[in-house]
Amino acid sequence: MPLLEETTVPREHPPTLPVVIIGNGPSGICLSYLLSGYKPYLDPSAVHPNPVLYRKLQETRHLPITEQDLEYLSEGLEGRSGNPVAVLFDTLLHPNADFGYEFPPVLQWRRDKQQHLPHLVLGRATPGGAWHVMEGSMLTISLGIWMELPGINYRDLTNNGKCRGVTNDRATPEEISSYYRNYVKLMGLKQNFVDNTYVTSVQKLFRGHEGEGLENGHGGLGEGGKGVYEGREGEGVDEGGGGGLWEVRGYQRVQGDTHVPFCLFSENVVLATGASDSPAQLGVEGEELPFVFHSISALGLAVSRKKLGPNSDPVLIVGAGLSAADAVLCAFNNNISVLHAFRKHVDDPGLIFKQLPKTLYPEYHKVYHMIMAASVCSKIGGPVLFPDYTSFPEHCVVSFQSDMKCVLQGSNSLKAFKISMALVLIGTHPNLFFLKGQGQYLGLDPTKPISCKQNPVDVHPYTFECTKDPGLFAMGPLVGDNFVRFLKGGALGIASCLLKRLKKKGKLIAEGGGVGGGEFI
């Protein structure tokens, strides 16, 4: 992806906004909804199954949840997220979901157009984020109803009257991406979204001494530190929650390959970029060779173009997560031989297969059955149940060779195999190249790169504001919430914080009184 040279960005004073959201996946969409005047109240007819939480909700039932004390409401709740607000919002939207119940939400949504907070959502494609590029025939790990956003029932948009059973209550990425696109239109959020935009730089501008304008530590705006910003007509520079403004630069792709640069100021920036930008690498010899891939889509493409088939050399699949399992299933269903290498032991409790119910995820348990059958066969002999599948637990890749060979290392052996292609599916990392130092300084451990599992962005637990950089917020996989079901909590925490903060400054305006996305870019 080409990046703009600094000198190509127009020098005119760019517009300013209270909030810019980078990323238009479900995180950014949900936050836009909450910033657009939609407010969650306790439904007067609802009773929450948690009596303690229900009592707390009744104490301030006249107030929207966004204006209540989220720390108080979250106290004592437990769930499958490390972020307390994520657990709170999930139990309000899906009470007792972890116990297998499907209770209706206890929230009632009302729109207050006087509480609209102007904002822009910048995304590289149409609303939906990474869901547009996922393999369309696979099923989501989550139930379809857990993928829905507030205000519109997922089944109302996707079910088309069909009866869905236990396993097909899960959804395809195609269904989910369609749901998110339609959601933005139906909820009247389109004016907040600018599609096909690529952010290339985000940096903080600090007010200098009187008369010196804003400084960013790199000579100020433009050349020679010039470029004082005066704000909107009749206003001074509002410093938001972080004591300065954020300068956001990038370009929008229009009419094919034409790039139109943009630059704007924002009092607050929200990182909602997800975690799928940069595939994790093994870091071994030959990983850059043309037959080594880091995306399952490469396998699907090779199969569709008939470059792989039953007579091909085996496909090497590296990894033991769901993407690797999807690749095993794709190859197996097309009668392609598989070599499956992963570091864990077959009985490791950390294997994802051990954490999924068999009735809901039969295809993944089929992969686990293949792994176990291959392990038993290698230990004690006996009939080979899956002759086109060979697993190599507790193995790692040593190298890939230009003659289409790979070398695997076990506990006490080296093995070389001729393969047709390799798929390295060991996870992904967020790409925060537009921040200083790749955003590494924002992590729980600032000496290591940001990692959604090992080193997420360090945020305040109830506002999701970065502890290292006030005025900068993060949500979704960047803070460890990899499931749509829980990333919505980040939207609640951020919206609550910003609405309270900017309400004091008189920044909330009636819908239509702000400036839509088309007037910025």
Side-chain angles (χ1 to χ4, degrees), residues 28-38 109 119 150-151 183 187 189:
I29 297 172
C30 189
L31 180 55
S32 179
Y33 176 79
L34 287 168
L35 295 180
S36 296
Y38 290 97
W109 293 90
H119 62 279
Y183 181 93
M187 303 312 293
L189 308 178

Side-chain angles (χ1 to χ4, degrees), residues 320 342-356 365 368 372:
F342 49 95
R343 292 179 178 271
K344 288 185 169 70
H345 188 273
V346 293
D347 293 321
D348 192 315
L351 281 174
I352 186 64
F353 313 109
K354 288 180 168 290
Q355 304 168 31
L356 302 174
H365 279 273
Y368 188 51
M372 294 302 295

Side-chain angles (χ1 to χ4, degrees), residues 188-209:
L189 308 178
K190 190 63 179 172
Q191 66 173 356
N192 306 321
F193 285 73
V194 186
D195 302 339
N196 304 313
T197 55
Y198 297 79
V199 173
T200 58
S201 172
V202 175
Q203 54 187 339
K204 203 165 197 177
L205 309 175
F206 294 95
R207 185 189 290 279
H209 298 295

Side-chain angles (χ1 to χ4, degrees), residues 61 77 115 135 204 224 256 272 364 385 415:
R61 57 183 177 273
L77 298 179
Q115 297 289 301
E135 183 66 34
K204 203 165 197 177
Y364 292 130
L385 296 180
K415 306 178 181 73

Side-chain angles (χ1 to χ4, degrees), residues 14 16-17 205-208 213-215 221 227-240 243-246 265-267 505 507:
T16 189
L17 278 166
L205 309 175
F206 294 95
R207 185 189 290 279
L214 298 171
E215 300 175 352
L221 279 176
V228 178
Y229 181 66
E230 303 294 340
R232 289 190 287 265
E233 184 177 356
E235 296 180 6
V237 176
D238 190 303
E239 297 181 351
L245 291 179
W246 293 91
F265 285 153
S266 181
E267 296 163 11
K505 301 176 181 180
K507 291 292 183 179

Side-chain angles (χ1 to χ4, degrees), residues 167-360:
T167 56
N168 60 11
D169 252 342
R170 293 160 62 197
T172 66
E174 183 180 2
E175 289 173 329
I176 295 300
S177 63
S178 174
Y179 168 80
Y180 292 144
R181 276 195 304 268
N182 290 327
Y183 181 93
V184 169
K185 296 175 185 176
L186 292 172
M187 303 312 293
L189 308 178
K190 190 63 179 172
Q191 66 173 356
N192 306 321
F193 285 73
V194 186
D195 302 339
N196 304 313
T197 55
Y198 297 79
V199 173
T200 58
S201 172
V202 175
Q203 54 187 339
K204 203 165 197 177
L205 309 175
F206 294 95
R207 185 189 290 279
H209 298 295
E210 187 174 354
E212 294 182 5
L214 298 171
E215 300 175 352
N216 60 15
H218 301 280
L221 279 176
E223 296 179 346
K226 311 293 184 183
V228 178
Y229 181 66
E230 303 294 340
R232 289 190 287 265
E233 184 177 356
E235 296 180 6
V237 176
D238 190 303
E239 297 181 351
L245 291 179
W246 293 91
E247 177 197 73
V248 181
R249 293 178 181 257
Y251 63 88
Q252 184 178 27
R253 195 181 67 236
V254 297
Q255 297 177 349
D257 203 33
T258 302
H259 294 165
V260 178
F262 68 85
C263 179
L264 52 86
F265 285 153
S266 181
E267 296 163 11
N268 302 278
V269 170
V270 179
L271 304 175
T273 56
S276 60
D277 280 338
S278 182
Q281 307 274 323
L282 291 169
V284 301
E285 176 189 350
E287 194 168 4
E288 76 287 348
L289 289 169
F291 64 90
V292 182
F293 300 90
H294 297 80
S295 169
I296 189 175
S297 60
L299 177 60
L301 190 63
V303 170
S304 65
R305 293 180 176 177
K306 301 190 184 306
K307 292 184 177 181
L308 288 177
N311 297 322
S312 303
D313 288 322
V315 170
L316 173 68
I317 297 171
V318 183
L322 298 180
S323 293
D326 286 333
V328 169
L329 289 168
C330 179
F332 181 81
N333 293 335
N334 286 280
N335 300 312
I336 299 168
S337 295
V338 171
L339 306 177
H340 186 193
F342 49 95
R343 292 179 178 271
K344 288 185 169 70
H345 188 273
V346 293
D347 293 321
D348 192 315
L351 281 174
I352 186 64
F353 313 109
K354 288 180 168 290
Q355 304 168 31
L356 302 174
K358 289 183 180 181
T359 55
L360 198 56

Side-chain angles (χ1 to χ4, degrees), residues 370 373-378 381-391:
M370 293 166 67
S375 175
V376 170
C377 182
S378 66
V384 178
L385 296 180
F386 304 100
D388 290 330
Y389 173 84
T390 307
S391 74

